[in-house]
Every structure is written in structure tokens, then in C-alpha cells.
Amino acid sequence: MIDVCLFGAGLIGQVHAANLARHPRVRLRYIVDPNTEAASKAATLTGAEIADTQTAMNDPSIRMVFIASATRTHADLAMAAAAKGKAIFCEKPIDLDLKRTDQCLAAVEKAGVPFQIGFNRRFDPSFRALKARLAQGEIGAVEQVIITSRDPEPETEEALAGGGGVFREMTIHDFDMARNLLGEEPVELFATGSSLVAAQYAKLGDYDTAMFVLRTASGRQCHINNSVRAAYGYDQRIEVHGADGMLRAGNRVPTSVELSGAKAISRDKPYYFFVERYAESYAAEIDHFIICVETGRRPDVTATDGRKAMILCEAALASAKSGRFETVRF
């Protein structure tokens, strides 16, 4: 039984808290969050204690920390945990600044502790099956990857002001999936962004609608399209086209029941939000990390993956401003 501390009791923190509390091989000991109401709610639901950062970090029985707090706190918490020899699971991004990200990675590497970044989509059953069949050569050499990722509704101005922008907070997942599926690192990236959905994005100098083209050295291509609005639900689809065919993973729906009538054929809309859509992947990524800590195995998704996805975010921001392809240098 591994004792765990969770930093952050917001929406994603609540998802992790519930999964940790249900896991048979860990014990969620502490929850740390300056929002006492959120921390108290999570503690009540899981049976964990409310603690402060110093108490959790100085407790030698805590072997593992889950960092799901505000983005600006990730790097500091990860470095503090590394210095104490604790295994680290960290939500993306590691930091909004690449230099700070590199400082964090250096501290983690020096400490030699396990580190997994929260790119949960790699653990989605459908996406994972697509990747496995791709690796088995079912469609031959990859030629094109198409990723659709649309949120059901825009965020509030308050939530946006506390984050790192759509590219760093939303598209970063898609950049990771692009790297995972292309089989080669992107060397060029083009991005275009607009503000078509909600005034708060333009007010903060951000985009709510965007498209991206990534290209590898051999010419493989990836197209990503993002929007913060989809009237029909949380739209998450992947298509990979290769020399011998195509693999496609579609949206997840609550049921497979379909009605066929005289006027139309109808079925369930996609799940409305990420908590429901990716419920299985959040549980699976935690289980994977726990196995890695128990066995000494290297996590499938590392801090380096987080760093490379952030580099793609920065290239995308530069391209959206310049209107040109940007060279990607990892």
C-alpha cells in the first residue's frame, strides 16, 4: 500500500481523488489546496486528511504525489517532491515557461524519481487500440494524421485569466497525440487562430478557434482542428491514413441505441464533457503510474513528452502571430 498526497482539489483534482480513493494499492493520505472548501469536499468524499504543502512534503511515508493544482504551481511542487525522493505524477503543462520547465526536468532527473505527465488521452481505450494496430502495421506507413478536438462550450473569463491560453491548455493534448501517432517528430508547424465564439478570448489576446498543420522531415502530415464550442457535445476524433488503409477512432456516446424512423435516423450525442468522455483513461493512467512506481518501470509518458509538447505550443503561438510556418527545434 503506497501513501499518496494530492495537490489540487479543483475539477481535475476531484477526478484524480476519486480514482486514487478507489485504487486497491494506494492510500490517499493528504489533500492540499488553498481553497479550503474544495479541499474539505474532496477530503470528505475520500477519507483523506487536509494538509499543507510542508506537512505533505516532509512526511517520509508519502512516496507518491499527484500534482493537479494551478499550472503556475506545478514546477515548484515537482521540484520539491523530487528533492524529497517522491514519485511524481504531474498534470500538463509542467510550466508555462520553457526555462522553468527545463529547471524542473533537471531537478527530477538529478533525483532519479519516477515522473509521469498527465497526457491521459494516450490511455483512452480507443486511442490506445488505434495506436497498437498502427504499430502492428495494419495500414502500412503513416501518411496523414487528422485530430479533431472541440470543447462543448467556452470557458469563463475568470478561468481563462488564470491559465496559459488555449494552445498551452487545450491543444497541448493534441500535440502529444500527434507526436505519438506520426512516428516521427514534427520539424515544421503552421497555426492559424481566430476569435469567433466568445469575446473573452479576444479580450485576453487568445484564440477560441484554431487549425494547425504539422510536418515531419519525411513529409508525414498532421492536421489538428480546435474549437471551444461544439453544440452537440465533446468532440474527440482521430483518423490516421496510411499506405494500406485508414484507422479511425470516433466519439464515445452514452449508449449505442439507434432509432430509425420515417423522417430520420438518430442516436445519442457524444458525452458532453471530458470528465465523462475520458473517465476510463484517467483511471488507466493512474494505474499505469502506480505499476511503474511499484516495479521500477519507466512511465510510457514522461517529462520529456511534456517538454516537447510545450515546444510545439510555443511554435504554434509564434506561427499564429507571424502567419508563417515555424521550424520546430526540440
Side-chain angles (χ1 to χ4, degrees):
M1 186 69 71
I2 301 174
D3 282 353
V4 179
C5 174
L6 171 67
F7 292 91
L11 183 55
I12 189 59
Q14 293 170 33
V15 172
H16 290 320
N19 285 324
L20 288 166
R22 285 193 292 262
H23 202 284
R25 300 196 306 280
V26 300
R27 178 174 59 166
L28 181 55
R29 282 277 311 282
Y30 299 132
I31 292 176
V32 180
D33 194 306
N35 184 327
T36 55
E37 182 179 349
S40 179
K41 179 181 177 181
T44 299
L45 291 174
T46 62
E49 301 175 42
I50 298 174
D52 57 28
T53 300
Q54 186 174 4
T55 298
M57 290 296 184
N58 289 333
D59 188 337
S61 71
I62 299 298
R63 292 176 52 199
M64 184 187 303
V65 300
F66 277 72
I67 301 172
S69 48
T71 297
R72 64 182 181 276
T73 68
H74 290 183
D76 285 339
L77 289 172
M79 288 189 285
K84 295 292 185 178
K86 303 180 190 300
I88 304 161
F89 179 99
C90 183
E91 275 298 328
K92 56 75 201 165
I94 297 170
D95 194 83
L96 298 178
D97 180 77
L98 192 57
K99 289 183 178 179
R100 286 279 294 159
T101 299
D102 287 341
Q103 290 174 2
C104 181
L105 266 60
V108 169
E109 184 175 353
K110 180 180 179 181
V113 296
F115 186 108
Q116 182 173 319
I117 193 75
F119 285 139
N120 67 292
R121 297 181 191 183
R122 293 221 201 174
F123 297 89
D124 174 76
S126 296
F127 294 168
R128 206 163 177 84
L130 185 152
K131 169 67 175 180
R133 294 175 68 171
L134 185 64
Q136 291 164 8
E138 285 194 19
I139 62 169
V142 174
E143 295 171 353
Q144 292 181 325
V145 175
I146 300 171
I147 299 173
T148 295
S149 179
R150 300 183 182 121
D151 281 359
E153 60 186 51
E155 291 197 79
T156 64
E157 184 173 338
E158 181 183 12
L160 289 172
V166 167
F167 291 8
R168 296 188 185 102
E169 301 283 359
M170 179 179 177
T171 318
I172 192 169
H173 278 292
D174 304 312
F175 286 147
D176 179 66
M177 288 304 301
R179 290 187 56 246
N180 188 38
L181 296 172
L182 281 167
E184 301 173 352
E185 296 288 7
V187 297
E188 286 186 308
L189 185 156
F190 177 80
T192 179
S194 303
S195 297
L196 304 175
V197 177
Q200 59 264 34
Y201 289 84
K203 181 179 179 181
L204 295 171
D206 202 0
Y207 309 106
D208 54 39
T209 308
M211 288 190 173
F212 310 84
V213 175
L214 288 71
R215 189 163 56 206
T216 72
S218 72
R220 295 181 182 184
Q221 301 169 350
C222 176
H223 172 259
I224 299 168
N225 66 88
N226 286 162
S227 175
V228 302
R229 176 177 60 196
Y232 46 87
Y234 194 46
D235 193 1
Q236 300 285 298
R237 292 172 281 138
I238 290 178
E239 180 181 296
V240 183
H241 182 264
D244 300 325
M246 179 180 70
L247 288 166
R248 181 169 59 194
N251 281 316
R252 302 291 294 276
V253 295
T255 76
S256 61
V257 177
E258 189 174 276
L259 169 65
S260 297
K263 293 184 177 180
I265 296 174
S266 63
R267 60 178 182 174
D268 290 354
K269 293 192 295 184
Y271 281 111
Y272 189 74
F273 206 36
F274 73 89
V275 174
E276 296 81 22
R277 167 62 180 83
Y278 286 118
E280 293 166 300
S281 72
Y282 284 119
E285 70 175 352
I286 283 180
D287 192 56
H288 173 75
F289 185 57
I290 291 168
I291 290 171
C292 289
V293 173
E294 290 174 332
T295 63
R297 171 183 168 184
R298 180 181 175 85
D300 288 350
V301 193
T302 67
T304 299
D305 293 305
R307 180 183 188 276
K308 289 184 175 181
M310 180 55 73
I311 288 173
L312 290 171
C313 291
E314 297 306 309
L317 287 166
S319 176
K321 291 178 181 178
S322 70
R324 299 187 299 269
F325 265 94
E326 292 290 328
T327 300
V328 178
R329 294 183 176 88
F330 292 121

